[in-house]
Amino acid sequence: LHPRVRRQRQMCIRDSSMPVLNAIKQCLNLTDGKFTTEDGLFSLETVSCLGACGLAPVVVVNGKVYPQMTGDAIKIVIETIMKEEKEGN
């Protein structure tokens, strides 16, 4: 079990997704087996299938699908979500 969070992030694990997974962990400072950020804003969950192989690697945040992610693209997504949270959106 992980603490309840406001943003849940899921991603499928395929060979091409490891750079994305590593970028997420780096951006959110998730190390040493941590899956939830200190502030409780993000929780990372890897899944074997999201049913969207043609769009892989895929990241889902609170039901919103982000297709064909790269390490750089997911950093922008994370930064945008953090900015929206600070602004109260």
Side-chain angles (χ1 to χ4, degrees), residues 18-72:
M18 291 313 294
V20 178
L21 181 61
N22 291 336
I24 291 169
K25 288 180 177 181
Q26 180 185 18
C27 283
L28 300 178
N29 196 28
L30 296 176
T31 58
D32 300 324
K34 285 179 25 181
F35 299 101
T36 303
T37 56
E38 292 293 326
D39 61 5
L41 184 58
F42 291 96
S43 179
L44 175 65
E45 176 185 1
T46 57
V47 296
S48 60
C49 184
L50 290 170
C53 292
L55 302 175
V58 173
V59 175
V60 178
V61 180
N62 286 359
K64 182 173 180 181
V65 176
Y66 294 89
Q68 301 174 332
M69 284 284 96
T70 64
D72 290 336

